[in-house]
Amino acid sequence: MTFDELGLSAPLLRAIEEQGYREPSPIQVAAIPAVLSGRDLMAAAQTGTGKTAGFTLPILELLYANEVSNSKYIRALVLTPTRELAAQIGDSIASYGAHLPFRSAVVFGGVKPSAQIVALRNGIDILVATPGRLLDLCQQGEVQFSDLEVFVLDEADRMLDMGFIHDIRHILKLLPRQRQNLMFSATFANEIRRLAKTIMNNPLEVSVSVLNTPAERVKQWIYPVDKIRKSALLRELIVQNDWQQVLVFSRTKHGANRLSAYLENAGVNASAIHSNKSQGARTKALSAFKSGKIRVLVATDIAARGLDIAQLPQVVNFDLPNVPEDYVHRIGRTGRAGASGHAFSLVSADEIKQLNDIEQVIQRHIFREYVDGFEPVHELPASAPLRKSRALGHRKSTARRGRRDEKLSAASRGRSVTGKNERRRKKRTSTNIK
């Protein structure tokens, strides 16, 4: 199927061609006609599947087909959990709407609101926002929703994980009842469905992937290593494999800073992003990473949510996440838009529970390799047998956790295991454990 078969107008098709896209992804094939029909939509799609274009394209088409003259008020609202994802969606709207007469704006916290207020006062058609800043602007009387036609709740599962449920409910009370509602999420856990019942009107539901399966194009490895040697192993892997672009996940903000500083001191250009960093610092670090000025970006889960880095070759989990489903989101940063990717996890013996939980969610044992010179003194126990797993996201509600501390994850791949290493591992006994 091609984009011109989806009912998009000439200005949008021209913009799509300029962006270099030829064929729509499965989520776009499913979502675009549904949105154009005017129906409410619940769409389940993993990250990296093209879901942003799955709602930005049809929204632009709807606004173009039903053009309203002299309206200074917002006609479409996209609510998203993080600054980075909001900026990415804003870029998507600007790119696809390049040949359309619509104005858009992105509002989020961490920066002064003055420029955002100016944009709102000048009149915009499409607003992309994070919940906190949007509520602030609403309370200041700077946002008007009387002309709203379409409401999008993006990354709904992460919204709940980050404790935004009360903000979302408050925002919903400000919107007109007559509107089209679109909800995009990696999962439709029970808490997501309960929220949907308060928003949606007889929604069409589409899903384009198995919810607990990581991207098929992402190859995964585990490197058993003692915790105190993880930093050294990561540097070894980066240097020996000549990795030029590596996204590394850290469970904590302090851990991200510490690892970034270690790599810098070891001669590897690196930077960290997390919620304690200013928006300017985060934007600068991400830009430097995309342009190749820095080789390693160390990020916490919340800061990295929604990052869209074209052809990112590898992701490293420095520590495994406490919530197993977050592993799927992390490795989804690579292997995007049809490209292949690699995900590497540095795992110490005390992380066996997290590893078992992850393997139960993805329903597979991840291949283990040992790196010469970094074989662990404290051996990583064998994985537990696989049992029938619940679907990704079907865990107890995490909304009550609020804005919990960001989680760490990192992983890495190095040289293949040699026969000597394998024999050495098999001969290792409990007398080696100190």
Side-chain angles (χ1 to χ4, degrees):
M1 177 173 285
T2 59
F3 281 102
D4 58 4
E5 297 177 82
L6 295 178
L8 301 176
S9 58
L12 284 171
L13 294 175
R14 178 183 171 189
I16 292 169
E17 184 177 2
E18 289 172 349
Q19 293 299 310
Y21 297 113
R22 297 292 180 267
E23 297 180 357
S25 69
I27 187 59
Q28 292 161 8
V29 171
I32 291 175
V35 177
L36 292 179
S37 74
R39 290 194 57 179
D40 284 7
L41 175 69
M42 295 175 63
Q46 292 180 357
T47 186
T49 58
K51 65 181 176 64
T52 299
F55 62 80
T56 56
L57 286 171
I59 286 175
L60 288 165
E61 180 65 34
L62 287 173
L63 298 188
Y64 184 55
N66 304 304
E67 190 168 352
V68 176
S69 61
N70 301 322
S71 175
K72 294 184 62 176
Y73 298 140
I74 298 162
R75 298 177 62 195
L77 170 65
V78 181
L79 200 62
T80 192
T82 68
R83 308 167 189 175
E84 284 74 19
L85 186 53
Q88 173 194 321
I89 295 171
D91 289 342
S92 178
I93 292 170
S95 297
Y96 294 127
H99 306 297
L100 294 173
F102 301 127
R103 291 169 293 185
S104 61
V106 180
V107 300
F108 47 71
V111 297
K112 294 181 178 180
S114 54
Q116 299 172 0
I117 291 174
V118 170
L120 290 168
R121 289 178 178 176
N122 287 336
I124 59 170
D125 300 281
I126 306 172
L127 178 64
V128 184
T130 54
R133 176 53 58 89
L134 179 60
L135 282 176
D136 289 342
L137 293 171
C138 287
Q139 292 168 359
Q140 296 174 41
E142 299 293 349
V143 182
Q144 172 59 254
F145 290 123
S146 60
D147 288 346
L148 189 76
E149 300 171 32
V150 184
F151 170 63
V152 182
L153 185 63
D154 191 28
E155 301 278 5
D157 54 335
R158 182 57 59 170
M159 285 281 200
L160 298 191
D161 283 349
M162 293 174 65
F164 284 131
I165 183 62
H166 297 298
D167 288 349
I168 293 171
R169 288 173 176 163
H170 192 173
I171 291 168
L172 289 171
K173 293 178 181 179
L174 304 176
L175 306 183
R177 290 189 176 183
Q178 294 298 321
R179 64 179 190 267
Q180 184 177 8
N181 301 287
L182 313 177
M183 179 184 288
F184 285 76
S185 179
T187 74
F188 283 138
N190 291 334
E191 62 267 31
I192 301 293
R193 294 189 178 278
R194 285 193 293 269
L195 175 62
K197 289 180 179 180
T198 68
I199 301 175
M200 318 296 282
N201 178 29
N202 188 28
L204 175 67
E205 185 170 333
V206 300
S207 179
V208 298
S209 61
V210 179
L211 294 180
N212 62 349
T213 302
E216 293 180 359
R217 295 178 179 269
V218 179
K219 297 181 180 180
Q220 304 167 63
W221 289 267
I222 283 175
Y223 286 90
V225 61
D226 290 326
K227 180 173 292 187
I228 62 173
R229 304 203 67 196
K230 281 189 177 185
S231 297
L233 175 55
L234 177 59
R235 179 195 174 278
E236 175 78 4
L237 297 172
I238 293 170
V239 173
Q240 292 300 320
N241 293 291
D242 194 28
W243 289 345
Q244 295 301 312
Q245 192 178 48
V246 190
L247 176 61
V248 179
F249 281 97
S250 170
R251 183 186 304 124
T252 65
K253 293 171 279 192
H254 176 69
N257 288 336
R258 185 172 53 206
L259 180 58
S260 174
Y262 172 87
L263 292 172
E264 280 283 326
N265 292 332
V268 177
N269 291 337
S271 186
I273 62 170
H274 49 70
S275 60
N276 279 3
K277 296 275 188 177
S278 70
Q279 184 58 39
R282 291 162 69 169
T283 301
K284 182 179 179 181
L286 181 57
S287 176
F289 182 62
K290 288 183 176 181
S291 67
K293 293 181 180 179
I294 62 172
R295 296 173 67 178
V296 183
L297 185 66
V298 186
T300 54
D301 284 301
I302 291 177
R305 184 71 170 191
L307 290 184
D308 188 9
I309 303 167
Q311 298 180 345
L312 178 65
Q314 51 260 326
V315 166
V316 173
N317 291 297
F318 190 77
D319 286 305
L320 295 180
N322 289 330
V323 179
E325 290 86 351
D326 284 340
Y327 174 84
V328 179
H329 296 307
R330 289 177 175 187
I331 71 171
R333 299 300 97 201
T334 186
R336 298 170 73 89
S340 61
H342 304 86
F344 314 107
S345 298
L346 309 185
V347 184
S348 55
D350 63 346
E351 295 174 296
I352 185 60
K353 181 183 183 302
Q354 290 96 318
L355 176 58
N356 283 333
D357 289 345
I358 288 168
E359 292 182 331
Q360 296 301 331
V361 165
I362 66 175
Q363 284 293 283
R364 59 174 288 190
H365 289 128
I366 306 172
F367 184 71
R368 301 186 183 194
E369 289 186 357
Y370 290 75
V371 180
D372 288 334
F374 289 90
E375 299 88 344
V377 173
H378 302 281
E379 182 61 273
L380 179 65
S383 295
L386 296 178
R387 60 182 183 275
K388 186 176 181 180
S389 176
R390 49 180 162 66
L392 173 61
H394 285 262
R395 59 182 185 270
K396 292 183 179 179
S397 173
T398 54
R400 67 174 64 95
R401 301 177 189 174
R403 305 173 193 278
R404 65 180 183 272
D405 289 340
E406 298 169 321
K407 303 173 287 295
L408 166 64
S409 172
S412 180
R413 183 173 192 270
R415 298 181 294 273
S416 298
V417 183
T418 63
K420 180 179 179 181
N421 279 341
E422 184 66 17
R423 290 191 297 272
R424 181 188 305 156
R425 183 180 68 82
K426 291 180 178 179
K427 290 180 180 180
R428 198 174 289 136
T429 67
S430 60
T431 58
N432 298 120
I433 307 299
K434 296 182 180 179

